[in-house]
Amino acid sequence: MSEARITWIGGPVLKACATGPFSIFEALAVGERRLLGEVIQLRGDELVAQVYEDTTGLEPGVTVVGLERPLSVTLGPNLLGGIFDGLLRPLSLATDYQIQPGAAERVFARHRLEFTVRDGDTLSAGAVFARTVAPRPQSLLVPPSASGRVEALVEPGEHRDDETLLVLVDDSGRRHELTMQHDWPVRRSRPVRERLGVNAPMITGQRILDTLFPVARGGRAALPGGFGTGKTVLQEALAKWCDADVIVYVGCGERGNEMAEVLDEFPQLEDPRTGRPLAERTVIIANTSNMPVAAREASIYTAITVAEYFRDQGLNVALMADSTSRWAEALREVSGRLGELPGEAGYPAYLSSRLAEFYERAARVTSLAGAEGSVTIIGAISPPSGDFSEPVTLHTKRYVRCFWALDRQRAQARFYPAIHPLQSYGSDVQELADWWKRSGNPDWLVQRQRVLELLEAQAHLERMARIVGRDALPPQQQVRLLCADLVNEGFLRQSSFSKVDRFCSPPRQVAMLSVLLHFADRANAAVAAGVPPARLVALPMLRQLQRLGEEFGEDDLLRLRQLPRQIDYEFDQLQPVASHAS
Amino acid sequence: MQADLLLENAVTRIEGPLLFARREARVGLNAAVEVLAGNGPPRLGRVAALDETSMVIEVLEATSGLALRGTRIRLHPEPLLFGVGPNLLGRVFDSVGRPLDGGPPVAARTRRRIEGLAINPAWRALPRDFIETGIATIDVMNSLVRGQKLPLFSAGGLPHDRLAAEIAQRARLRGTKGEESFAVVFAGIGVPHDTADQFRLAMESSGALGHTAMFLNLADEPGMQRLLAPRYALTAAEYLAFEEGRHVLVILTDMTNYCEALREVSASHGEIPGRKGYPGYMYSDLASVYERAGCIRGRPGTLTQLPILTMPGDDIGHPIPDLTGYITEGQIVLDRELDRRGIYPPVRVLPSLSRLMDAGIGAGFTDPDHPALAHQLFAAYARALRVRVLASVMGEQGLPESDRRFLGFGERFERQFVHQESARTLEESLAAGWAVLQGLPHGELTRLSNAQIGRHLGEAAHA
């Protein structure tokens, strides 16, 4: 292993004089405590490195050792249900309550497993060779870099995670010893056989997303919003209720108490599809805002690498990144310390290409072993003072397919989720219409269009109403406003804290939307027939429609589907009286 | 452990707060140093960068009067530490933990790093103990819980100091009468003498001075020390909370002065400035202060932060409130217009927020209908303000009946709910909330269930 000696140190950046060969992005162990670092520049004998931990106490002369591999993480069956730092080291209760820098002692885990291969079988790269049994079955994979004929298989049963389980001998006679885990460099995407197109939405259980701005499996969505607009609550809601098999939740430069919230809540909540605790399908990567900034930069790559690992097992993975702005700021901070020429708003000129690299790792794929899996990225953005014209938001917009803009005004009225329907978009709508057709709603595209038009009209009419007064608008337009209010209150609003409404299944979404649009049809017809709008506002069922999500839970679908009849009844009552009044 | 070393005539250059010196002894990054000149008191500093022959020392106090000759540097083998122990309470310190009250130094039981170490997220316990502050807009609509960091976003001339002192005097868990051991740590960052005195008097008058430790960096003291005052204060607070098991409320005022000092230091380092000249790492730096709030599993004490900042130009989008809001768990925003109208406390509720509120209110914590009431008040007041804008354009008479009712609600809400002459219990605050909702059309109260309307607003449902 090559060694170097520190010649200069300031903050998380150091310069060292190398006595052996180093390569760019090689991982380093710095000093006695073996702090983790990474080479970022090489100039002759001098190397420049960033250190991922607190550098207090380092001084010139201290030894830096090259680890002969890029910054890597260990992937295996220990990840699900765990909480890790930005470099995928477990954050356990075994250590002190304050994080001490340096490599912690390795803790070994044991897993019971069954092999899916026999001696003499030939395995390709990325193939499954064993499965762990209980609590949650997981596949063990051949690393993408190895393949060959199986030799020296151990007995099935319980094994320690660093034991050699089998040996693969490849065509050139090289032997690969496999354990339950393997290492993978975080900045390199894991190879796949083929990237696939859009075929299905990732169901989030949030009406405004699934119905208006759906994200595809393997898609990419951005969630920008100023502070207090509900980014984190929404990310957590998605992590809880979306229909992915595995959730990777990375808190990148965010609050420690939010991580505590996730750790507190997830073990108690039940996955509606499997009945198991939600924590068991979740990997939490926590790099809170007061943890070292360079590790914050790495944590995003760590998270996507973990997500790809589960994707390669044939699973659908959702990656929640909160927040990509903090990651971009970490890039800026490190870049500043290196004295690089700043670009827009001080960010390095390569910000855009780094963002592209990251978001491109989301995809639906056929893995090397032939399994179909996906990684969907949902990246939160925290734009300074909520201004979407700043570099991180602008560049992200170029690479994502869905843009879920959070709106401060909605949030201040406690209208959650505070996604602004006119500033947001989803680009895979046409492709996903087929899925809705297959799932029993051939009218989805039309209904969605009607809702969007209604909301667009609302914005326009409200401007008018502000000048002339609502009562002065023509009756048809007053009804449009009424219906738009109803769609907002009864459909788009959804409380993450309500036991009834925190999750909304696609059938319930369809039923709710049908009810509201039926009301709109009847209301338009009634006004056209001369009923004054004031009478519609007084309809007794209006209150029920405004609270539709709260009043009709997943168990009340039948009752919900009866509502159009009640609407008909109330409108039928209205007609004769109305002709009197007008 | 290495012993302290004294370097003489090693300084080669002085630039603002930075001292460039020959590295004539072994020393590590971030090591604490004392700079000695003449007979003056030692000035604290730390090693900011090192190479093989030289080092850069950041002096954390004024550098005026230092000369290249005759300036001695005492090197410590460790980063800046603060010796904390019993009897911290009832004392007044300067920004680097030296007694200002003429009393003896505190006998140190442990010496803790003033920078603190990040709390392992796995060790954090979710804050969920509701704190009753006696202020309706906070207790009902933006509830504070133990272990939270909830800043006051204020502006020059607004009564934030009075509000903070009141909260410090009253903040109790419900049902207890202060028998639990609590403590208040006050860090004055660039505050005027009178502000510090007022706070001391307020605590004295309520008999709480014995539970209070004050760390003062006054307005006429060097800017560099403003970066230290909150760190020494929080180090003491962490000791009181996690070693002595007290419930500690830390008041940091004024964080705007802190950020100004940060900008000054950054400029002197020649760093590339970010937004409005503040350094790009201001987010991380503020986080290293704010993130020291919290609860730890299995430890009885808690650390709650109430930072106060004055928004430059009353602008909530300014980098200081903006970055603070991204780190803290909500904010309480004070408003000049309400203040002018004589409403106290002038809390502007719509942009105010408490993120941890949902964990600490509702059934089993406060009142089962508390969350719905809070949401309904927010929604109704947002509507009332929209209507108020309409009314200013076309007059109250041009509004539909339901809008006029919301207009009346807005006025009642500000005069009878936000405004309060004295402290209210949570029950009184909740009752005030239900009372101001009376008179609104029940059909429009979409955040309340029929049962809730029946319970609190009477059965007569008129749409």
Side-chain angles (χ1 to χ4, degrees):
Chain A
M1 286 187 202
S2 307
E3 286 197 359
R5 285 192 187 282
I6 296 180
T7 54
W8 178 90
I9 177 138
V13 177
L14 63 82
K15 293 176 184 168
C17 181
T19 52
F22 279 87
S23 57
I24 199 94
F25 291 128
E26 182 172 346
L28 303 170
V30 180
E32 281 171 19
R33 284 176 298 169
R34 300 184 64 78
L35 306 179
L36 204 53
E38 187 178 26
V39 179
I40 42 182
Q41 280 176 12
L42 288 169
R43 313 181 190 130
D45 284 345
E46 188 187 68
L47 66 85
V48 180
Q50 60 177 340
V51 184
Y52 289 119
E53 300 179 70
D54 181 20
T55 49
T56 294
L58 290 183
E59 57 180 303
V62 166
T63 311
V64 176
V65 181
L67 299 178
E68 295 178 339
R69 58 179 169 82
L71 184 70
S72 302
V73 292
T74 304
L75 303 168
N78 297 339
L79 297 174
L80 280 183
I83 173 164
F84 303 88
D85 73 0
L87 304 164
L88 213 62
R89 295 178 297 193
L91 287 169
S92 71
L93 295 172
T95 51
D96 191 34
Y97 80 90
Q98 291 181 317
I99 296 172
Q100 303 289 341
E105 216 165 291
R106 258 215 67 182
V107 183
F108 296 97
R110 302 181 69 85
H111 295 274
R112 179 168 291 281
L113 52 88
E114 284 165 1
F115 287 100
T116 54
V117 297
R118 277 179 300 187
D119 263 328
D121 285 359
T122 306
L123 294 184
S124 60
V128 176
F129 68 86
R131 279 183 215 289
T132 60
V133 191
R136 186 195 158 115
Q138 291 189 61
S139 305
L140 303 183
L141 302 182
V142 177
S145 53
S147 61
R149 197 162 36 79
V150 177
E151 272 182 17
L153 202 62
V154 300
E155 286 294 310
E158 206 176 85
H159 293 279
R160 214 169 82 160
D161 60 10
D162 63 332
E163 265 178 70
T164 300
L165 301 174
L166 60 84
V167 175
L168 286 184
V169 182
D170 64 19
D171 295 340
S172 55
R174 266 207 341 190
R175 296 168 64 82
H176 304 272
E177 295 186 354
L178 302 195
T179 66
M180 286 179 209
Q181 324 186 79
H182 63 263
D183 289 354
W184 188 263
V186 295
R187 294 183 201 278
R188 196 182 317 149
S189 55
R190 288 171 62 91
V192 296
R193 188 185 290 172
E194 192 186 7
R195 286 172 80 100
L196 303 170
V198 168
N199 75 336
M202 181 175 84
I203 296 300
T204 62
Q206 303 290 313
R207 286 186 289 272
I208 188 167
L209 300 184
D210 292 342
T211 296
L212 294 188
F213 312 110
V215 60
R217 284 219 163 123
R220 318 178 279 280
L223 185 62
F227 67 78
T229 51
K231 274 188 307 298
T232 303
V233 175
L234 187 57
Q235 284 267 29
E236 284 180 12
L238 295 181
K240 286 174 200 164
W241 309 120
C242 80
D243 68 347
D245 302 310
V246 171
I247 307 292
V248 180
Y249 192 101
V250 52
C252 172
E254 287 291 313
R255 305 175 181 89
N257 277 335
E258 277 168 7
M259 292 290 126
E261 200 170 89
V262 173
L263 285 176
D264 186 78
E265 239 180 309
F266 277 39
Q268 294 168 28
L269 291 171
E270 199 176 84
D271 185 341
R273 295 172 312 137
T274 60
R276 308 281 313 166
L278 273 180
E280 279 182 18
R281 69 162 189 178
T282 311
V283 181
I284 299 169
I285 295 170
N287 185 268
T288 57
S289 52
N290 55 340
M291 283 156 80
V293 68
R296 193 182 305 164
E297 193 262 333
S299 65
I300 286 281
Y301 294 104
T302 301
I304 188 90
T305 306
V306 170
E308 286 176 343
Y309 169 70
F310 287 105
R311 172 202 71 190
D312 290 348
Q313 297 181 29
L315 300 170
N316 291 308
V317 186
L319 170 67
M320 316 288 166
D322 187 14
S323 128
T324 56
S325 294
R326 305 295 162 235
W327 168 69
E329 283 164 9
L331 273 183
R332 174 169 71 183
E333 200 173 322
V334 174
S335 159
R337 287 192 197 272
L338 295 176
E340 289 171 346
L341 210 57
E344 216 177 332
Y347 288 106
Y350 47 77
L351 171 68
S352 155
S353 58
R354 290 285 172 88
L355 278 168
E357 273 168 34
F358 168 65
Y359 279 105
E360 277 306 295
R361 288 174 77 169
R364 195 169 70 90
V365 304
T366 308
S367 75
L368 288 180
E372 193 185 306
S374 66
V375 172
T376 310
I377 296 182
I378 294 163
I381 307 174
S382 322
S385 59
D387 170 17
F388 292 170
S389 64
E390 57 91 39
V392 180
T393 315
L394 284 183
H395 288 305
T396 303
K397 248 182 156 170
R398 293 164 51 203
Y399 305 117
V400 295
R401 304 283 296 170
C402 296
F403 189 73
W404 300 334
L406 290 171
D407 180 56
R408 184 159 274 169
Q409 261 192 336
R410 284 184 170 236
Q412 292 192 348
R414 300 314 193 252
F415 185 102
Y416 292 124
I419 294 170
H420 197 294
L422 300 182
Q423 288 174 20
S424 306
Y425 58 78
S427 314
D428 294 321
V429 170
Q430 294 298 335
E431 291 82 348
L432 295 176
D434 279 342
W435 181 88
W436 282 95
K437 212 176 278 174
R438 288 199 302 276
S439 315
N441 187 14
D443 301 329
W444 178 69
L445 212 51
V446 179
Q447 290 180 336
R448 174 181 183 274
Q449 202 53 42
R450 276 189 69 185
V451 171
L452 286 177
E453 276 166 19
L454 202 54
L455 295 168
E456 181 80 48
Q458 181 192 28
H460 176 70
L461 291 175
E462 274 188 344
R463 271 199 299 277
M464 298 263 292
R466 225 171 289 150
I467 302 165
V468 299
R470 210 166 169 148
D471 287 351
L473 293 175
Q476 287 291 355
Q477 298 190 346
Q478 287 187 43
V479 167
R480 298 201 90 181
L481 272 181
L482 173 70
C483 294
D485 280 345
L486 204 54
V487 164
N488 269 312
E489 279 290 329
F491 190 77
L492 300 186
R493 183 160 66 81
Q494 187 177 356
S495 165
S496 298
F497 296 104
S498 155
K499 282 212 161 58
V500 179
D501 206 22
R502 58 194 183 185
F503 173 79
C504 191
S505 67
R508 186 155 78 101
Q509 300 190 19
V510 173
M512 286 174 71
L513 197 57
S514 303
V515 167
L516 293 172
L517 291 177
H518 183 73
F519 178 90
D521 289 339
R522 290 299 311 246
N524 282 326
V527 170
V531 179
R535 294 193 53 94
L536 300 185
V537 177
L539 281 178
M541 72 173 324
L542 212 54
R543 186 175 148 76
Q544 204 176 21
L545 294 181
Q546 281 170 333
R547 292 176 51 81
L548 208 53
E550 283 291 332
E551 305 273 334
F552 298 88
E554 295 293 329
D555 306 332
D556 294 326
L557 276 185
L558 278 180
R559 249 177 4 107
L560 183 59
R561 291 194 179 116
Q562 300 293 320
L563 273 189
R565 259 190 247 163
Q566 198 189 330
I567 294 176
D568 286 341
Y569 174 77
E570 288 197 9
F571 272 94
D572 291 344
Q573 298 286 307
L574 201 59
Q575 239 76 348
V577 192
S579 49
H580 258 296
S582 60
Chain B
M1 195 187 288
Q2 293 164 280
D4 293 358
L5 281 163
L6 197 65
L7 301 185
E8 306 226 16
N9 292 324
V11 180
T12 55
R13 186 151 63 104
I14 301 174
E15 268 179 30
L18 299 185
L19 219 70
F20 296 78
R22 281 187 295 276
R23 183 169 157 261
E24 290 171 348
R26 277 194 62 187
V27 61
L29 194 67
N30 288 337
V33 299
E34 280 174 280
V35 179
L36 307 160
N39 297 323
R43 304 175 211 218
L44 285 181
R46 63 177 194 96
V47 177
L50 284 163
D51 65 17
E52 284 161 314
T53 56
S54 61
M55 59 185 169
V56 182
I57 290 168
E58 190 175 55
V59 184
L60 301 166
E61 304 183 43
T63 47
S64 57
L66 289 186
L68 295 186
R69 278 184 168 280
T71 296
R72 289 162 298 153
I73 300 170
R74 181 179 291 145
L75 298 173
H76 296 280
E78 296 152 323
L80 280 171
L81 300 174
F82 181 29
V84 284
N87 307 323
L88 272 171
L89 293 175
R91 301 293 305 273
V92 182
F93 302 94
D94 70 358
S95 45
V96 292
R98 293 180 287 230
L100 276 182
D101 50 7
V106 170
R109 180 179 290 170
T110 58
R111 287 159 59 78
R112 298 170 72 99
R113 276 181 68 168
I114 64 150
E115 298 286 343
L117 286 166
I119 297 175
N120 181 340
W123 266 99
R124 279 185 187 269
L126 184 63
R128 54 189 346 153
D129 290 338
F130 175 86
I131 297 179
E132 186 178 287
T133 62
I135 290 156
T137 40
I138 296 180
D139 289 350
V140 175
M141 298 177 75
N142 299 288
S143 315
L144 176 68
V145 293
R146 272 182 178 166
Q148 187 174 13
K149 39 194 181 292
L150 189 66
L152 285 179
F153 284 11
S154 186
L158 295 183
H160 44 263
D161 293 324
R162 179 179 157 197
L163 188 59
E166 284 177 3
I167 294 174
Q169 288 166 29
R170 294 176 193 155
R172 299 286 179 278
L173 275 196
R174 268 159 41 84
T176 64
K177 297 229 166 17
E179 65 266 26
E180 282 183 293
S181 58
F182 76 99
V184 176
V185 173
F186 178 91
I189 307 161
V191 294
H193 287 264
D194 45 343
T195 303
D197 281 344
Q198 272 164 15
F199 183 82
R200 199 177 52 78
L201 283 175
M203 295 313 280
E204 200 167 24
S205 69
S206 66
L209 199 60
H211 297 284
T212 306
M214 296 178 76
F215 291 80
L216 297 180
N217 163 260
L218 296 168
D220 54 1
E221 286 176 330
M224 287 297 291
Q225 284 190 6
R226 288 179 192 156
L227 303 184
L228 293 176
R231 295 199 157 80
Y232 276 89
L234 283 166
T235 306
E238 278 173 349
Y239 166 78
L240 292 168
F242 303 133
E243 303 293 328
E244 290 197 353
R246 291 172 197 271
H247 297 287
V248 185
L249 177 69
V250 182
I251 295 174
L252 305 167
T253 180
D254 173 335
M255 287 305 287
T256 302
N257 294 338
Y258 176 90
C259 294
E260 297 299 335
L262 197 66
R263 175 163 69 176
E264 193 181 322
V265 172
S266 166
S268 70
H269 282 265
E271 289 162 346
I272 297 164
R275 240 190 331 155
K276 297 209 170 169
Y278 295 98
Y281 53 78
M282 190 156 89
Y283 177 83
S284 303
D285 190 279
L286 283 173
S288 72
V289 172
Y290 295 141
E291 274 292 325
R292 292 171 80 169
C295 313
I296 310 290
R297 285 169 195 243
R299 288 186 191 237
T302 57
L303 203 166
T304 310
Q305 276 189 24
L306 192 71
I308 297 168
L309 57 87
T310 46
M311 298 182 280
D314 293 10
D315 174 16
I316 199 169
H318 186 280
I320 297 173
D322 193 43
L323 294 179
T324 298
Y326 274 121
I327 302 165
T328 54
E329 283 125 4
Q331 63 276 336
I332 303 293
V333 183
L334 301 189
D335 183 54
R336 202 175 290 286
E337 194 202 319
L338 289 175
D339 186 53
R340 261 201 302 270
R341 288 168 48 202
I343 289 169
Y344 178 84
V347 175
R348 191 145 59 106
V349 294
L350 291 191
S352 299
L353 170 75
S354 165
R355 289 166 194 277
L356 297 178
M357 171 171 180
D358 296 282
I361 64 166
F365 297 100
T366 54
D367 183 274
D369 296 337
H370 181 172
L373 171 64
H375 279 111
Q376 185 60 61
L377 286 171
F378 273 115
Y381 187 57
R383 166 114 182 246
L385 290 189
R386 275 203 304 276
V387 173
R388 201 177 272 175
V389 174
L390 285 182
S392 69
V393 178
M394 50 193 160
E396 201 176 316
Q397 294 315 310
L399 296 173
E401 164 66 14
S402 66
D403 279 358
R404 276 204 300 276
R405 297 233 211 143
F406 273 94
L407 207 57
F409 163 79
E411 196 61 27
R412 277 201 309 283
F413 178 81
E414 288 165 0
R415 294 278 169 206
Q416 294 164 27
F417 183 79
V418 179
H419 181 72
Q420 53 187 86
E421 301 287 343
S422 56
R424 291 182 189 152
T425 64
L426 178 69
E427 285 69 22
E428 288 167 347
S429 295
L430 289 172
W434 292 114
V436 294
L437 283 177
Q438 293 283 4
L440 284 181
H442 290 180
E444 307 260 4
L445 301 177
T446 57
R447 311 297 166 96
L448 301 177
S449 69
N450 288 336
Q452 285 162 337
I453 291 181
R455 265 201 296 282
H456 300 281
L457 300 172
E459 287 292 349
H462 46 91

